[in-house]
Amino acid sequence: MKKYVLLSGFMLFATPVAAGEWVYDISGVANGFYGYSEYAERYRQDYHHHHTPVSAEVYTSAGYRFDNATEFKIGLDGQISGGKEVKDYNHGTWGENIYGSLNSKYGELTVGQVYNAAYQLAVGAPSIGAFRVNNSPLTDFIANPNWQRHHRTTSYRTLNSTYLNTDADAPKISYTTPEWYGGKAAFSYTPDSYSEAGLINKHSRYDNRSSYAAGLYHNLVTDWLEVESSLGYAYNRKNNQEASAGLSLYRKGWTLGGSYRQSWITGSDYHLNIRTHDDQPLFYDGYREGRAFNVGLSYEIGPFKTGVSYFAAYARKTDNKDKIVSWANRFAINKYLALYLTCAYAEYKGQRDDMNGNRGYATIGGIELSF
């Protein structure tokens, strides 16, 4: 209810006081994939070889443009998916994001369901369309026991991203400064960081889950190279603290990028291995003391983009670790239709017992529609 009250106040604040124009926008994307996965012999009885995940997202907004520098809008985005191993929308197989934003020469103020400031300014390894490096969809084809959000099971034993996404799209207030000499800063406050799309487990015992995040971004363009960089920090109260850094270099169709994330706890944070529910797995929130990094290289020429990437995550106090290597290709037939072909290898290791892990190869083909 709080988020709707905030948005209502936001709308009153932005009531038109000068001549302008109403603005509207709608866009969306839908994709479907078929993948064949091959596992090590010991895992074959537990996993399927054939996978057909599908998803669709629609983005809508309506607002008022006062002048060339000032605009207010309300956004409503929706998502739905099927056949996915990790259901990370805020309602599992479906979700919605409602937010309002006021953009002016003084910066941008946003209230609602959006990712935090550090996440939005972050840069890192290049992604190939639907096959992003962080929170990788490859787990839909090679299941990762360390990342589970399905039915009644919810746990993250390692970080799933080098970007700061612990609070995910929980309702928050964010402010981004105007750009100044290629750089800008942003800040976010999340009253309650619990979100079905985030990393905090639904069985967590945190009585105050507020979160604060800050991010820095800079873009430098020279005659022969474009350089993007970012820094991020988040304080998730009674949970953990996190920091991230990223760098991306672009020249003549080539992009080389990478990013790093570190999470840690202090004495005032809750302990890791306390169970509060019978179904809660031991060390369910192991990501709270961990690290993750990615690196990738891509090349784009005309309608074709190809790239290789590597992602790794480690939990500090256990043997839990993840490694994902992928080679992804995207060919745009036109502005509405694109084809994908991806090959990947993943290796996930669980705590103590190797049977809690998984590893294997996947070959994936698919199609994407956008408007």
Side-chain angles (χ1 to χ4, degrees):
M1 178 62 69
K2 291 181 180 179
K3 62 188 178 187
Y4 301 109
V5 173
L6 287 170
L7 289 177
S8 298
F10 213 176
M11 290 185 68
L12 291 174
F13 175 76
T15 301
V17 295
E21 62 176 336
W22 293 97
V23 291
Y24 310 92
D25 185 63
I26 182 170
S27 61
V29 60
N31 55 53
F33 296 94
Y34 167 76
Y36 178 82
S37 304
E38 187 65 42
Y39 308 99
E41 185 67 34
R42 70 182 65 180
Y43 305 112
R44 290 181 180 176
Q45 62 182 0
D46 299 319
Y47 299 100
H48 301 293
H49 292 292
H50 306 277
H51 308 269
T52 55
V54 296
S55 65
E57 300 184 15
V58 176
Y59 315 100
T60 64
S61 66
Y64 192 83
R65 182 176 295 141
F66 299 93
D67 52 47
N68 291 334
T70 307
E71 180 180 288
F72 170 78
K73 69 177 181 180
I74 294 290
L76 172 59
D77 303 337
Q79 314 92 20
I80 190 170
S81 67
K84 288 185 173 290
E85 182 69 24
V86 179
K87 298 184 177 180
D88 54 4
Y89 297 137
N90 51 24
H91 293 288
T93 58
W94 66 277
E96 90 290 325
N97 298 86
I98 305 172
Y99 57 91
S101 66
L102 178 63
N103 204 330
S104 72
K105 63 181 180 180
Y106 302 107
E108 182 177 13
L109 179 65
T110 303
V111 179
Q113 294 169 282
V114 294
Y115 279 84
N116 66 55
Y119 183 99
Q120 294 195 41
L121 296 186
V123 299
S127 297
I128 311 298
F131 284 91
R132 57 192 181 275
V133 180
N134 287 314
N135 198 13
S136 174
L138 293 170
T139 55
D140 296 328
F141 304 92
I142 307 171
N144 184 358
N146 291 329
W147 304 347
Q148 297 182 34
R149 191 180 293 281
H150 191 72
H151 299 301
R152 295 184 177 181
T153 302
T154 303
S155 66
Y156 283 96
R157 299 181 179 92
T158 55
L159 289 165
N160 66 352
S161 170
T162 57
Y163 299 166
L164 306 184
N165 64 340
T166 295
D167 56 354
D169 56 2
K172 57 179 60 68
I173 302 172
S174 295
Y175 169 72
T176 304
T177 68
E179 186 172 321
W180 188 65
Y181 288 101
K184 56 185 173 180
F187 310 90
S188 294
Y189 167 63
T190 306
D192 188 347
S193 57
Y194 172 76
S195 168
E196 281 295 335
L199 296 181
I200 294 181
N201 192 287
K202 64 184 178 183
H203 300 311
S204 62
R205 60 191 289 263
Y206 314 124
D207 58 353
N208 188 316
R209 295 174 291 205
S210 58
S211 179
Y212 305 82
L216 293 173
Y217 169 84
H218 189 263
N219 177 251
L220 174 65
V221 180
T222 68
D223 291 337
W224 63 281
L225 187 68
E226 180 177 354
V227 181
E228 292 182 286
S229 59
S230 67
L231 293 173
Y233 170 78
Y235 171 65
N236 304 304
R237 189 170 186 270
K238 294 295 184 181
N239 185 13
N240 71 343
Q241 297 180 62
E242 305 176 283
S244 66
L247 181 68
S248 178
L249 309 175
Y250 173 84
R251 175 176 167 79
K252 294 184 177 180
W254 292 93
T255 302
L256 173 65
S259 53
Y260 178 80
R261 176 182 183 181
Q262 181 80 43
S263 62
W264 67 94
I265 64 171
T266 62
S268 62
D269 296 320
Y270 283 124
H271 297 292
L272 294 174
N273 285 323
I274 297 177
R275 285 184 172 177
T276 59
H277 192 283
D278 291 339
D279 294 333
Q280 178 180 305
L282 187 67
F283 208 76
Y284 70 91
D285 57 352
Y287 72 89
R288 295 202 300 157
E289 286 191 288
R291 65 188 190 278
F293 71 91
N294 64 37
V295 63
L297 176 68
S298 70
Y299 179 68
E300 185 171 11
I301 180 170
F304 179 68
K305 186 175 183 179
T306 183
V308 293
S309 63
Y310 176 76
F311 174 91
Y314 305 86
R316 177 171 175 261
K317 291 189 175 181
T318 71
D319 293 329
N320 296 67
K321 61 182 65 175
D322 308 308
K323 298 178 182 179
I324 299 175
V325 182
S326 68
W327 172 42
N329 302 274
R330 181 181 187 270
F331 183 81
I333 296 177
N334 52 48
K335 64 179 182 179
Y336 304 108
L337 179 65
L339 302 178
Y340 286 90
L341 178 63
T342 299
C343 299
Y345 171 77
E347 184 177 305
Y348 316 116
K349 185 177 181 181
Q351 185 179 9
R352 294 187 299 272
D353 185 358
D354 189 48
M355 289 301 292
N356 290 332
N358 188 18
R359 66 176 183 269
Y361 298 87
T363 301
I364 305 159
I367 189 170
E368 182 177 81
L369 301 173
S370 58
F371 65 91

